[in-house]
Amino acid sequence: WLASSSEGLLNLQAMIESWAARPDALYAQRLVVTHPRIGQRARQLGWQRVFETKPALPNVLQTLAELPS
């Protein structure tokens, strides 16, 4: 997952809670965020594997390429 705004993160959470049979499994997936405050909010909402990066495309691509399995 990639979240570049707190609003988008909240929308993603709403979709997960509404549609996912096992929300806990989705919160265990990797989430890349483009700002520390978005990362903090994601952790508060239950995401376990949050990776912060700068919002510039090269930084996002590098972070995605370096994500652990």
Side-chain angles (χ1 to χ4, degrees), residues 35-54:
H35 194 278
R37 283 184 294 202
I38 301 170
Q40 179 182 13
R41 184 70 175 133
R43 289 180 192 93
Q44 291 171 343
L45 294 172
W47 266 274
Q48 301 161 17
R49 300 172 68 194
V50 179
F51 301 88
E52 296 176 8
T53 188
K54 295 179 181 176

Side-chain angles (χ1 to χ4, degrees), residues 1 9 11 18-19 21 23 26-27 32 34 36 44 48-50 64-65 68-69:
W1 300 99
L9 181 65
N11 289 334
S18 294
W19 298 335
L26 291 176
Y27 288 124
V32 175
T34 57
Q44 291 171 343
Q48 301 161 17
R49 300 172 68 194
V50 179
L64 290 172
S69 308

Side-chain angles (χ1 to χ4, degrees), residues 21-32:
R22 291 190 49 225
D24 56 315
L26 291 176
Y27 288 124
Q29 298 300 311
R30 297 172 295 184
L31 175 69
V32 175

Side-chain angles (χ1 to χ4, degrees), residues 4-17:
S4 59
S5 72
S6 293
E7 183 179 356
L9 181 65
L10 293 174
N11 289 334
L12 178 59
Q13 180 201 23
M15 289 186 338
I16 288 172
E17 294 295 329

